[in-house]
Amino acid sequence: DGKPVRFSAPTLNFAIKELGERGNFERAHALYLWMGMQRSKKDGDRAKYAPNRYTLVSLIGAATERNHARVVVKVWRQALLFEPDMINSEVGSAAITALGRCENWPAAYQVWRDMGDAGEPRNIYAYTAILTVLRESCRWEEAREVFRAMRDEEGVRPDAMCAGLMLAA
C-alpha cells in the first residue's frame, strides 16, 4: 500500500535464522550487515536495528561451508573488539560449532581462547563444542589443554562425555 513496513530486531533475527537454515548464508549475512547500517532519525548515530547476541547466534549458526568461516571469524572479531558485552558462552559455542562445521579447527580453537582472554566464563557447552571440533580434527594436544583448562574453570566440571571426547581426539 506504499506505507513503510516496520520490523523489529527479533523479526530480523528470525529472518537471518530462516535464511541460514534454507541455505542462503550470503543473504543472511547481507541482512546482518543491513541491520547495522540502519540509523534512527531520533537517535542520530545509533543503529536502529543494532545486532545483538541473538543476531550473532542466528548468523553464525547458519554457517555450513568452508567459505563461510571467513565471515564467522570476521563477525566474531568485530564483536570482540567493538561490542565485548555481546560475547558470551552462547555466542562462543555457536561460533566454535559453526567453525567446526566449516572445517576450520584453528579458528574454532582461537574463539575458545579469545573467550578466556576476554575473561568470559566458558560453560559446559563451549567446552563440549571445542572438544568435539578437536576430536573431529584429531588434535589431541589441544584437546588435552582444553580438558585441563576445564578442570580449572570455576563452575564447570569435566564429565564422562567431555573426557570421552578428549580421549577420542
Side-chain angles (χ1 to χ4, degrees), residues 58-81:
S58 296
L59 176 65
I60 290 170
T64 57
E65 299 175 12
R66 281 185 168 182
N67 59 339
H68 298 165
R70 274 180 292 142
V71 172
V72 172
V73 169
K74 183 179 177 182
V75 168
W76 171 261
R77 287 187 181 151
Q78 286 176 340
L80 194 61
L81 290 173

Side-chain angles (χ1 to χ4, degrees), residues 23-113:
N24 291 320
F25 182 78
E26 289 76 17
R27 287 184 179 182
H29 183 232
L31 183 55
Y32 170 80
L33 294 174
W34 178 86
M35 284 177 72
M37 292 175 24
Q38 300 306 303
R39 302 289 175 208
S40 173
K41 293 177 185 173
K42 289 187 271 184
D43 297 332
D45 195 29
R46 206 181 82 164
K48 185 176 181 180
Y49 301 113
N52 55 31
R53 290 177 177 168
Y54 304 107
T55 313
L56 288 177
V57 170
S58 296
L59 176 65
I60 290 170
T64 57
E65 299 175 12
R66 281 185 168 182
N67 59 339
H68 298 165
R70 274 180 292 142
V71 172
V72 172
V73 169
K74 183 179 177 182
V75 168
W76 171 261
R77 287 187 181 151
Q78 286 176 340
L80 194 61
L81 290 173
F82 303 115
E83 300 287 338
D85 58 322
M86 286 178 42
I87 300 301
N88 66 1
S89 284
E90 183 181 56
V91 175
S93 60
I96 291 166
T97 302
L99 290 166
R101 264 194 320 270
C102 297
E103 300 176 13
N104 192 338
W105 76 264
Y109 186 63
Q110 185 60 47
V111 167
W112 177 80
R113 291 178 59 197

